[in-house]
Amino acid sequence: MKKTHFSILLLLVAMVLQAQNLPTKQQVLDQMKLANNYFLAKWPDPTTNIVTNKSRPSNLWTRGTYYEGLMQLYYLTQDAALLKYAVDWGTYHKWQPTYVGAVATRIADNQCCGQTFCELYQLDPTKTERIATMQVSIDAMVNSTKVNDWWWIDAIHMAMPVFTKFGVIKNDSKYFEKMYDLFNYTRSQAKGVGLYNANDSLWYRDSVYLPPNKTTNGLPIYWSRGNGWVFAALTRTLDVLPATAPHRADYVTMFRQMARKLIRIQRTDGFWNPNLGDPNDYGGKETSGTVFFTYGLAWGINNNLLDSATFYPAVVKAWNGLVKDALHTTGALGYVQSAGSKPADGQPLSYDKMPDFEDFGLGGFLLAGSEVYQLSKTVSTGFNSPSTVNSKLQVTPNPIRNDFEVNFDSSERYNLLEIHDLRGKLIAKQEFENTNPLKVNIKSLVKTPLTSGTYLITVSNHLHKETVKIIYKN
């Protein structure tokens, strides 16, 4: 009897420890593949129109959000079939914004697909057609004085990363400046007050939900997915925005403000409620907001903007909750709110009820998984040791082709440079004498030619390390 009790105790301890940690890298990758394969089985042809209450083109914002996640899965797996799926999609739509063809558009939803168009261009810069038409729309906005286009917070996610990517691709800060003007209007000036409540560190979806509009319980309406859109946009922007770019510090401050708020209002099951301002306003699990929050929090830890002691438990709870309670054995995702603008839309939610669009929730799940993968420990590479520090690491130029410079804080006295792929596999390493900046020739460092894609550059010593993502163009 005592042996039985001891075995049960060990099992309970193991279950508790598992709940306090992320799955292994391979398990996370398998979970991402499961969800994506479910979707690809339903949508084998990327050109097929999306039919719900009506027919819509497959470069719609919902599908554009999916491709954001698909590209992260491609970077991890280097699966040529995933890349082909994305390229075929862009080619079919002639690399144009949604609905308008070659005509310039200021509508953020129509520009969302441009995020992936830009990434596919960066993988093959000879294919200038992949960004040419989208650039017409973005340049038209850059060259105008109008700043009130993003009147709803979803728009920040749809378009802000497009401006960021053009600023990087063209090496021109005019895109960063216009992006900030648009963002700042939405945050601080819309309807004279802005849509961001600095006291609560959360956003109203649009002016309809500004005070005095409240829930029946007298509490504010902060739509979860709407705030997820903003948090994901900040994440995707900061992920590629140069360290010296104007207004970066402002984005970092807001990112941290939102992150601190989010972990305080997270549910015990790991999810966030549909209304972040009122847990009793359609309270319950909601996946689409949760995946974007998980993505941003994990990215923040991975990039040294959030301390792991404070934020890691929230990521663990969120990812494990998603996998346990939302991810079906088929790969479908439950508790995803349908397209809408407020907590009431698509209710009631459940594990078995599917939303009208399954693509944007999956895109968020893949984004979250890509950062959770990086955060998860791996025994084979020891990739998460030694400890990270507040990063000042910068690689220029980025994207890179051959020669590049690595700049870092000389006081850290780093002596080892490493290049890993996104799965943590070591590609190359080089010892050096704390030379700053460190000049590197990638072709002499890497013996086997690299394929175009995203990699991680790390500088370290026996105590600390710093890591930055780079894009390599073959």
Side-chain angles (χ1 to χ4, degrees):
M1 182 66 72
K2 287 184 178 180
K3 184 177 290 186
T4 301
H5 287 164
F6 183 68
S7 298
I8 293 174
L9 179 61
L10 286 177
L11 178 61
L12 290 173
V13 170
M15 291 174 65
V16 170
L17 290 174
Q18 184 177 19
Q20 294 174 342
N21 289 283
L22 292 171
T24 65
K25 287 184 181 294
Q26 187 59 52
Q27 288 171 328
V28 173
L29 190 60
D30 289 344
Q31 291 154 358
M32 294 171 68
K33 287 180 177 179
L34 175 67
N36 193 60
N37 287 341
Y38 161 82
F39 183 81
L40 291 180
K42 293 186 71 171
W43 297 91
D45 182 356
T47 70
T48 302
N49 275 14
I50 305 168
V51 181
T52 54
N53 59 326
K54 65 179 183 179
S55 181
R56 298 174 175 87
S58 66
N59 61 345
L60 189 69
W61 64 265
T62 65
R63 194 59 54 87
T65 303
Y66 161 69
Y67 279 95
E68 294 170 36
L70 178 76
M71 291 303 294
Q72 296 305 311
L73 181 60
Y74 166 70
Y75 298 143
L76 285 177
T77 63
Q78 294 294 302
D79 184 344
L82 299 181
L83 180 61
K84 182 179 185 302
Y85 191 79
V87 171
D88 287 351
W89 169 72
T91 301
Y92 174 78
H93 291 290
K94 299 179 181 178
W95 309 99
Q96 295 173 344
T98 317
Y99 293 124
V100 298
V103 179
T105 178
R106 301 182 70 97
I107 300 173
D109 285 353
N110 297 347
Q111 297 169 349
C112 182
C113 55
Q115 296 188 45
T116 298
F117 294 172
C118 285
E119 290 187 33
L120 291 171
Y121 164 79
Q122 288 175 305
L123 291 178
D124 187 353
T126 66
K127 301 292 194 297
T128 55
E129 69 276 10
R130 294 180 179 179
I131 60 171
T133 306
M134 189 63 68
Q135 187 179 349
V136 172
S137 291
I138 302 304
D139 282 357
M141 295 181 70
V142 168
N143 295 326
S144 76
T145 58
K146 188 171 183 284
V147 295
N148 63 350
D149 296 274
W150 299 349
W151 56 265
W152 75 114
I153 61 176
D154 314 34
I156 297 173
H157 164 266
M158 305 303 165
M160 187 172 177
V162 181
F163 281 78
T164 315
K165 291 176 186 298
F166 270 107
V168 171
I169 289 169
K170 299 298 180 180
N171 191 27
D172 193 334
S173 63
K174 71 180 183 181
Y175 296 97
F176 303 145
E177 293 289 0
K178 185 64 179 186
M179 173 180 77
Y180 183 78
D181 291 343
L182 292 159
F183 173 82
N184 191 50
Y185 174 87
T186 308
R187 174 182 61 177
S188 307
Q189 301 169 28
K191 294 298 180 180
V193 293
L195 301 181
Y196 181 64
N197 186 337
N199 292 326
D200 287 344
S201 300
L202 293 171
W203 294 71
Y204 302 102
R205 193 267 179 175
D206 57 56
S207 62
V208 170
Y209 303 98
L210 288 169
N213 198 340
K214 294 184 177 181
T215 69
T216 56
N217 303 312
L219 295 171
I221 303 171
Y222 298 126
W223 184 38
S224 180
R225 186 164 72 235
N227 279 269
W229 287 134
V230 176
F231 202 54
L234 289 170
T235 302
R236 287 180 62 74
T237 292
L238 289 169
D239 190 44
V240 298
L241 189 68
T244 57
H247 314 297
R248 182 182 173 90
D250 198 1
Y251 300 134
V252 170
T253 297
M254 171 160 286
F255 176 82
R256 285 172 167 159
Q257 288 172 350
M258 290 188 70
R260 287 192 291 267
K261 177 68 174 186
L262 288 169
I263 64 170
R264 291 200 298 270
I265 58 176
Q266 186 180 22
R267 292 165 52 92
T268 57
D269 56 22
F271 289 77
W272 279 265
N273 287 303
N275 184 354
L276 302 180
D278 185 348
N280 296 313
D281 181 38
Y282 300 96
K285 300 179 181 73
E286 202 288 304
T287 294
S288 64
T290 297
V291 292
F292 290 129
F293 299 143
T294 308
Y295 166 54
L297 293 173
W299 178 90
I301 298 170
N302 286 331
N303 289 272
N304 309 306
L305 292 185
L306 302 176
D307 68 278
S308 59
T310 302
F311 293 93
Y312 180 79
V315 174
V316 172
K317 191 162 57 172
W319 184 258
N320 288 344
L322 286 164
V323 170
K324 173 179 174 289
D325 294 337
L327 182 63
H328 290 224
T329 56
T330 62
L333 289 170
Y335 298 103
V336 177
Q337 205 179 359
S338 291
S341 61
K342 57 187 179 297
D345 291 330
Q347 298 288 349
L349 308 181
S350 73
Y351 174 77
D352 291 315
K353 181 181 178 182
M354 295 293 106
D356 50 359
F357 297 90
E358 293 185 77
D359 42 12
F360 60 81
L362 170 59
F365 183 80
L366 295 176
L367 287 171
S370 70
E371 291 299 328
V372 168
Y373 179 96
Q374 301 299 340
L375 193 57
S376 178
K377 304 293 183 183
T378 175
V379 175
S380 60
T381 64
F383 190 63
N384 291 17
S385 297
S387 66
T388 56
V389 298
N390 189 19
S391 183
K392 298 179 181 178
L393 182 63
Q394 188 173 0
V395 172
T396 54
N398 188 9
I400 66 176
R401 287 184 180 273
N402 189 19
D403 296 312
F404 62 94
E405 288 188 356
V406 182
N407 291 270
F408 51 87
D409 185 350
S410 299
S411 65
E412 290 291 343
R413 304 195 64 80
Y414 293 128
N415 55 18
L416 179 65
L417 177 138
E418 295 175 301
I419 300 177
H420 293 84
D421 65 20
L422 290 183
R423 301 186 68 173
K425 179 183 177 182
L426 179 64
I427 304 298
K429 64 180 180 179
Q430 172 183 319
E431 294 183 356
F432 60 95
E433 296 292 334
N434 196 37
T435 304
N436 188 25
L438 176 65
K439 298 182 183 296
V440 182
N441 179 286
I442 201 164
K443 290 183 179 177
S444 62
L445 179 63
V446 180
K447 304 308 178 187
T448 303
L450 289 180
T451 58
S452 295
T454 302
Y455 295 87
L456 299 171
I457 288 184
T458 299
V459 291
S460 64
N461 54 32
H462 66 290
L463 292 176
H464 296 143
K465 74 167 188 177
E466 297 181 53
T467 300
V468 65
K469 284 183 184 177
I470 60 102
I471 296 172
Y472 174 69
K473 297 178 179 179
N474 194 326

